Amino acid sequence: MILLAVLFLCFISSYSASVKGHTTGLSLNNDRLYKLTYSTEVFLDRGKGKQEDSVGYRISSNVDVILLWRNPDGDDDQLIQITMKDVNVENVNEQRGEKSIFKGKNPPKIIRKENLEALQRPVLLHLVHGKVKEFYSYPNEPVAIENLKRGLASLFQMQLSSGTTNEVDISGDCKVTYQAHQDKVTKIKALDSCKIERSGFTTSNQVLGVTSKATSVTTYKIEDSFVIAVFAEETHAFRMNFLQTIAGNIVSKQKLELKTTEAGPRLMPGKQVATIIKAVDSEYRALPIVGQNFQSECKGCPSLAEHWQSTRKHLQPDNLSKAEAVRSFLAFIQHLRTARREEILQILKAESKEVLPQLVDAVTSAQTSDSLDAILDFLDFKSDSSIILQERFLYACGFASHPDEELLRALISKFKGSFGSNDIRETVMIIAGALVRKLCQNEGCKLKAVVEAKKLILGGLERAEKKEDTMMYLLSLKNALLPEGIPLLLKYAESGEGPISHLATTTLQRYDVRFITDEVKKTLNRIYHQNRKVHEKTVRTTAATIILNNNPSYMEVKNILLSIGELPKEMNKYMLAVVQDILRFEMPASKMVRRVLKEMVAHNYDRFSKSGSSSAYTGYIERAPHSASTYSLDILYSGSGILRRSNLNIFQYIGKDSLHSSQVVIEAQGLEALIAATPDEGEENLDSYAGMSAILFDVQLRPVTFFNGYSDLMSKMLSASGDPVSVVKGLILLIDHSQELQLQSGLKANMDVQGGLAIDISGAMEFSLWYRESKTRVKNRVALAIVGSITVDSSFVKAGLEISAETEAGLEFISTVQFSQYPFLVCMQMDKDGAPFRQFETKYERLSTGRGYVSRRRKESIIAGSEFPLHQENSDMCKVVFAPEPESSSGGWF
């Protein structure tokens, strides 16, 4: 090896500055031709590290390098020429054998003749102190081919001393750290620091997000004081946070080794590098060394209309309970993201009313300027004939994974216009609040549209004269969660009438613990203890819950415990259940509650033996080392046994991050007159009302009303069938992560994860005077599909790995109360249906000429159904209460 080094006197500068006189980077010797071998390979797998399970390819070649010019005023200023020769493409998986897509094909057939010619045309590299000053190539070469040459050229950039600096190479402007040793120099590139223009987006909530990790290490091997080889390895890995089987890995390697040297051309004389380049070939142009973006050509690909024709059958209403519908929805969104406004508008106008709502979901979820323009042109908010489509559009906006200012600006503009339906006007404002929150979470609070929307929400709430407008702005604030809105919420919580006060307190309940200050809790304590005015039970219990969930003080807990026994019957039982739930589930307030319970005045039989049917219970749906899913149900009854409020919540936790997956609240009031019962204190003058409110994936939806007022109540009792009322129904793009990666080798990679679901949440409240029984139903039906994919593209060959999972599931809650006696007979049931869980893996390699290799695997299992406890006390009431429903009732069902 020493003899070889002497022959070419160093392909790359001596490691020791004292030996060769170079103190910075690589340097070639005069009048020598350096012959090297080069290969770059990439393989994709699921992170298990087994090459036999991977897909990918290898590009190899011989490389000639010569020194064209050295600045006479400094050895560290050089111009070198790099030429790739004898290019070949092959599989990285040697077990492919007869199935190899490259078998029987020579490089011109694989790469295409014109691409191969471009790849083998030399490039020039101007190095100053070992760093790339300029990269010269021929103009109008295919971008993908130029990137491969950039990837090779970037290996020639290095320094011989330890330290951290910034370098510009094919990966962008990156922070790099050099570690110099006697036999090698290691370069560690911080890929997350690289500044390069690439498209991409992700979901802001980490529960629905994707964790990705990237590393890059290049080793310059030194033997007898000479660099003789370069080895680079770059990895990109991703996994879904809440479903870690959706994971993938990209490994990209480069190897450059010196084989021999021979006599080469003499140095070109001159002091200016520009003169030298012009003398070599006047066609050369200085181009960025940073990798450039390109899109592979799609020859013979179907149009958007053709894609839609193959998709629409899966999106028929009868098919929405199937995971295949969600898969089709996700695939069509990808096609919509590359479509023009005119194409999208054309299929919207041609579609039938049965499938049109699902098409609106997909178009809105695409979240491009063209899709937004198309859907806004299509929908007429001044008309009341397309309310369902308008509502589907607005909810899809609320669930948007990465909304931009343009979308919020469009909603603000619509809000200032006229509407055919007041419900749609309210929904626009409610969803605008959700967009404000998402944009603020992505550091967009200072955007003009966000500032305008915040003024609209807060100003509207402050100046609202109608009850309906106050409720609308409160619901919008419940989504936006603006800290500056807390003083207004406290005002409405303490001074507002029943429904407004209750909505204001439930809005405060959604704020993070850091915003529930001592001043906020002072107001909440006044509400709970009724220091200034009498409040409804729903308002008081919500105020108490907020206090207990946000670092309560010793005296706050003590006063709440001392109040138990002095409250109305069912409120006594409810507050007792809340305290017991805190202790049983080990909530953060449990330590403080236990401290207070050491006092006999707070902890005694009289206080803890109160009877009633109201309840509060929290439990686990699933629990794993890195994640958990919880449910909580609290039910508050009036003293006469009629449901006052039922609140079912489901939360998902990943580490310290949480997602309010769903909340369904059913409320009723003013029904005591139906059974000649006496209303509770503070509720004597309430109008008859029942309705339902829902939060879905952290977005508050517009509440729906079962009935409002005594006359509406009676008509519903006489005519209603007891069928459930839909709160939200549609297709939702839940998970949306996309990364475009520039690999150091010059190849382009993509990492994408999309998850969607078809959802139908409905609820009903049934009431029988004949049987003196009320029944509440909340039903959730979902079909879920998640697709993760990684691809690596060279323009002439592409490799990909797709991992997906799907399921169809249901969750139903039923609460039945017989109030013919006291205490009431209560049955609460929450059941999760058994569900299939299917996983798929598809691996492929494909040439641009059409030849391909595909491998598919499938695994299916059944997730057992289960029943969840909803009450702290064991009871056989369900056996008593849960009897067959009567075929008819003189009082009617609603």
Side-chain angles (χ1 to χ4, degrees):
M1 186 57 70
I2 297 175
L3 180 60
L4 180 62
V6 171
L7 286 173
F8 55 83
L9 296 177
C10 117
F11 149 55
I12 300 170
S13 165
S14 163
Y15 169 75
S16 168
S18 62
V19 175
K20 291 294 173 186
H22 299 294
T23 60
T24 51
L26 305 177
S27 178
L28 275 71
N29 273 8
N30 303 352
D31 311 333
R32 305 303 295 175
L33 168 63
Y34 297 88
K35 289 191 169 291
L36 306 99
T37 60
Y38 172 69
S39 69
T40 178
E41 63 184 36
V42 62
F43 57 88
L44 316 176
D45 62 20
R46 298 182 67 175
K48 297 178 181 178
K50 296 181 180 179
Q51 192 158 327
E52 63 268 21
D53 291 337
S54 67
V55 287
Y57 47 89
R58 180 186 297 114
I59 302 170
S60 59
S61 74
N62 292 319
V63 177
D64 287 354
V65 179
I66 58 174
L67 177 66
L68 292 177
W69 171 83
R70 191 192 304 277
N71 193 331
D73 296 331
D75 286 350
D76 279 336
D77 189 353
Q78 309 162 88
L79 182 69
I80 64 175
Q81 183 185 75
I82 305 169
T83 308
M84 296 178 74
K85 293 183 175 181
D86 309 317
V87 177
N88 191 31
V89 188
E90 58 191 338
N91 280 110
V92 290
N93 191 336
E94 296 176 359
Q95 297 179 353
R96 194 75 75 233
E98 292 295 321
K99 295 181 180 179
S100 172
I101 62 173
F102 306 112
K103 186 173 178 61
K105 288 185 175 288
N106 58 22
K109 290 282 186 183
I110 296 169
I111 302 174
R112 293 182 182 173
K113 185 180 178 182
E114 62 275 16
N115 284 344
L116 185 59
E117 289 174 355
L119 187 58
Q120 296 185 151
R121 278 197 284 268
V123 295
L124 307 182
L125 198 62
H126 185 194
L127 293 172
V128 178
H129 300 298
K131 303 302 171 75
V132 175
K133 174 81 171 177
E134 290 290 355
F135 171 79
Y136 295 91
S137 186
Y138 291 96
N140 303 319
E141 288 186 341
V143 174
I145 299 301
E146 277 187 343
N147 281 349
L148 291 173
K149 295 195 279 189
R150 288 183 172 102
L152 170 60
S154 292
L155 293 178
F156 287 78
Q157 179 166 241
M158 65 93 70
Q159 68 184 42
L160 294 169
S161 58
S162 297
T164 299
T165 185
N166 269 59
E167 286 183 355
V168 178
D169 65 7
I170 186 167
S171 304
D173 187 347
C174 309
K175 179 182 177 182
V176 295
T177 300
Y178 284 92
Q179 298 171 351
H181 306 277
Q182 186 173 358
D183 60 346
K184 65 180 179 180
V185 174
T186 303
K187 176 165 72 173
I188 301 170
K189 186 187 300 182
L191 291 173
D192 58 350
S193 72
C194 294
K195 296 173 183 174
I196 184 170
E197 287 188 17
R198 287 293 182 270
S199 62
F201 46 79
T202 192
T203 307
S204 58
N205 189 296
Q206 281 304 298
V207 174
L208 300 174
V210 173
T211 297
S212 59
K213 185 180 180 181
T215 62
S216 171
V217 178
T218 303
T219 302
Y220 295 83
K221 189 178 178 183
I222 297 172
E223 190 169 306
D224 298 327
S225 300
F226 298 103
V227 178
I228 58 168
V230 185
F231 304 98
E233 182 168 325
E234 178 181 6
T235 64
H236 293 267
F238 82 90
R239 62 172 172 78
M240 268 209 62
N241 290 337
F242 84 88
L243 185 61
Q244 297 194 1
T245 56
I246 304 293
N249 199 46
I250 302 173
V251 179
S252 174
K253 296 181 179 181
Q254 292 170 278
K255 182 166 65 174
L256 181 65
E257 292 182 292
L258 177 67
K259 292 304 177 185
T260 185
T261 66
E262 55 189 57
R266 297 185 63 82
L267 284 182
M268 299 178 70
K271 287 194 172 184
Q272 300 296 325
V273 69
T275 306
I276 304 300
I277 292 166
K278 190 172 182 180
V280 174
D281 192 333
S282 61
E283 293 295 314
Y284 274 117
R285 296 289 181 271
L287 301 174
I289 187 75
V290 177
Q292 301 298 296
N293 202 5
F294 71 92
Q295 296 295 331
S296 291
E297 240 180 285
C298 187
K299 293 183 178 179
C301 287
S303 66
L304 183 68
E306 289 170 326
H307 278 301
W308 175 241
Q309 286 308 309
S310 62
T311 299
R312 67 184 302 279
K313 62 184 177 184
H314 298 296
L315 300 185
Q316 294 287 341
D318 292 342
N319 294 331
L320 292 182
S321 60
K322 300 174 184 176
E324 183 61 36
V326 187
R327 280 182 172 275
S328 300
F329 168 70
L330 295 176
F332 191 61
I333 286 173
Q334 299 305 317
H335 298 305
L336 284 165
R337 285 178 169 168
T338 58
R340 301 189 311 275
R341 170 188 166 278
E342 293 75 17
E343 295 177 282
I344 300 171
L345 195 56
Q346 185 177 359
I347 62 169
L348 281 167
K349 289 179 176 179
E351 193 45 69
S352 64
K353 65 178 182 180
E354 289 81 11
V355 184
L356 198 49
Q358 290 76 260
L359 179 56
V360 169
D361 290 337
V363 171
T364 311
S365 299
Q367 300 174 73
T368 65
S369 295
D370 282 279
S371 65
L372 179 60
D373 289 344
I375 195 69
L376 290 175
D377 284 353
F378 177 70
L379 295 175
D380 181 8
F381 285 84
K382 296 177 182 178
S383 168
D384 62 357
S385 62
S386 60
I387 289 177
I388 291 176
L389 300 180
Q390 295 169 36
E391 189 173 65
R392 294 283 277 262
F393 160 71
L394 292 169
Y395 283 153
C397 290
F399 297 127
S401 55
H402 52 280
D404 58 11
E405 187 181 14
E406 183 185 3
L407 178 58
L408 179 59
R409 193 183 296 116
L411 292 193
I412 293 172
S413 175
K414 290 296 178 185
F415 183 76
K416 293 177 179 178
S418 56
F419 291 87
S421 164
N422 193 57
D423 286 350
I424 295 299
R425 175 179 177 269
E426 291 175 2
T427 306
V428 169
M429 178 49 59
I430 293 167
I431 297 304
L435 295 182
V436 166
R437 185 184 182 199
K438 289 187 177 186
L439 288 167
C440 283
Q441 287 173 336
N442 289 327
E443 301 179 354
C445 257
K446 294 182 180 178
L447 295 171
K448 287 184 179 180
V450 175
V451 172
E452 184 180 356
K454 287 162 73 171
K455 287 180 181 177
L456 201 59
I457 296 167
L458 297 175
L461 184 56
E462 200 163 12
R463 295 187 296 271
E465 296 179 357
K466 297 179 181 178
K467 174 186 171 183
E468 292 77 11
D469 284 347
T470 303
M471 299 286 279
M472 174 183 70
Y473 288 115
L474 282 172
L475 287 166
S476 184
L477 187 54
K478 194 171 182 178
N479 273 331
L481 297 180
L482 303 174
E484 53 267 47
I486 289 177
L488 278 172
L489 290 174
L490 294 175
K491 169 190 159 186
Y492 282 110
E494 190 168 22
S495 306
E497 58 180 89
I500 290 175
S501 177
H502 183 225
L503 180 53
T505 51
T506 58
T507 302
L508 282 167
Q509 197 171 14
R510 296 200 69 205
Y511 277 82
D512 190 77
V513 62
R514 69 183 184 275
F515 297 113
I516 308 300
T517 62
D518 290 340
E519 286 302 312
V520 172
K521 287 195 280 187
K522 280 182 185 178
T523 303
L524 295 171
N525 274 293
R526 287 198 301 267
I527 292 171
Y528 176 72
H529 296 290
Q530 302 190 120
N531 297 135
R532 292 186 178 176
K533 63 174 284 191
V534 174
H535 293 277
E536 295 178 25
K537 290 194 298 293
T538 52
V539 178
R540 296 179 67 189
T541 52
T542 304
T545 302
I546 298 171
I547 294 166
L548 292 171
N549 288 342
N550 291 274
N551 300 325
S553 67
Y554 186 91
M555 287 308 299
E556 285 171 341
V557 173
K558 183 176 179 179
N559 286 335
I560 287 174
L561 288 174
L562 291 176
S563 71
I564 298 175
E566 309 299 325
L567 306 170
K569 273 186 180 180
E570 285 299 322
M571 189 173 169
N572 268 328
K573 180 63 177 175
Y574 178 84
M575 289 307 303
L576 181 60
V578 167
V579 172
Q580 290 172 332
D581 195 40
I582 288 171
L583 295 172
R584 184 190 56 78
F585 202 70
E586 293 290 338
M587 294 181 187
S590 60
K591 290 182 180 179
M592 185 62 74
V593 172
R594 285 192 170 90
R595 275 187 60 195
V596 175
L597 288 177
K598 291 178 181 178
E599 292 192 38
M600 287 299 295
V601 67
H603 189 192
N604 56 63
Y605 178 79
D606 179 63
R607 201 175 307 284
F608 277 76
S609 63
K610 299 300 179 185
S611 63
S613 300
S614 297
S615 177
Y617 191 91
T618 303
Y620 286 103
I621 296 176
E622 289 185 35
R623 195 176 188 183
H626 78 287
S627 64
S629 181
T630 66
Y631 69 93
S632 65
L633 173 71
D634 60 82
I635 297 185
L636 178 63
Y637 294 101
S638 68
S640 56
I642 297 175
L643 176 74
R644 194 67 176 82
R645 182 187 64 207
S646 146
N647 186 354
L648 176 64
N649 290 277
I650 297 175
F651 282 88
Q652 184 75 35
Y653 298 92
I654 301 287
K656 295 182 179 179
D657 297 300
S658 65
L659 173 70
H660 198 170
S661 300
S662 71
Q663 178 191 73
V664 180
V665 180
I666 293 181
E667 294 182 77
Q669 65 178 37
L671 303 182
E672 285 76 11
L674 292 175
I675 57 172
T678 303
D680 293 338
E681 180 190 11
E683 301 181 357
E684 297 85 357
N685 300 315
L686 294 179
D687 291 333
S688 299
Y689 167 84
M692 182 162 57
S693 174
I695 291 174
L696 190 60
F697 303 115
D698 269 337
V699 177
Q700 170 69 54
L701 310 180
R702 186 179 60 81
V704 297
T705 300
F706 297 150
F707 60 81
N708 192 4
Y710 190 76
S711 59
D712 191 22
L713 162 63
M714 296 311 295
S715 69
K716 295 282 173 63
M717 285 183 67
L718 295 172
S719 63
S721 63
D723 292 336
V725 175
S726 178
V727 182
V728 61
K729 185 175 184 178
L731 291 156
I732 299 173
L733 179 62
L734 190 61
I735 300 156
D736 200 11
H737 176 90
S738 180
Q739 277 181 275
E740 198 171 82
L741 306 171
Q742 176 60 66
L743 300 184
Q744 187 171 289
S745 60
L747 299 171
K748 168 190 161 185
N750 287 84
M751 298 171 63
D752 296 284
V753 183
Q754 271 77 42
L757 61 98
I759 190 164
D760 186 356
I761 297 180
S762 59
M765 183 179 176
E766 303 170 1
F767 188 82
S768 171
L769 291 177
W770 183 264
Y771 287 91
R772 296 182 72 81
E773 181 179 273
S774 68
K775 183 175 289 189
T776 305
R777 295 174 180 268
V778 176
K779 193 167 187 176
N780 294 264
R781 295 292 306 173
V782 297
L784 172 70
I786 301 170
V787 181
S789 68
I790 47 178
T791 58
V792 177
D793 193 1
S794 65
S795 79
F796 51 85
V797 60
K798 186 175 185 178
L801 170 65
E802 181 178 286
I803 316 101
S804 60
E806 64 183 35
T807 187
E808 297 108 11
L811 186 69
E812 185 171 19
F813 162 70
I814 302 174
S815 169
T816 308
V817 183
Q818 284 187 352
F819 48 87
S820 56
Q821 59 182 346
Y822 192 87
F824 329 119
L825 295 180
V826 179
C827 170
M828 290 183 290
Q829 297 173 301
M830 189 167 79
D831 301 325
K832 183 175 74 171
D833 298 341
F837 182 66
R838 297 178 287 269
Q839 298 179 77
F840 305 88
E841 177 186 279
T842 303
K843 298 181 289 188
Y844 65 88
E845 295 160 355
R846 187 167 59 241
L847 294 174
S848 61
T849 55
R851 186 173 180 179
Y853 161 83
V854 180
S855 169
R856 292 185 176 90
R857 290 197 296 182
R858 171 189 172 120
K859 181 181 177 182
E860 186 167 352
S861 58
I862 298 294
I863 302 172
S866 54
E867 296 182 1
F868 300 98
L870 296 175
H871 205 282
Q872 295 168 343
E873 301 167 2
N874 293 323
S875 172
D876 291 330
M877 287 182 182
C878 288
K879 296 178 182 178
V880 177
V881 174
F882 200 67
E885 295 179 4
E887 293 184 4
S888 61
S889 167
S890 59
W893 291 81
F894 62 86

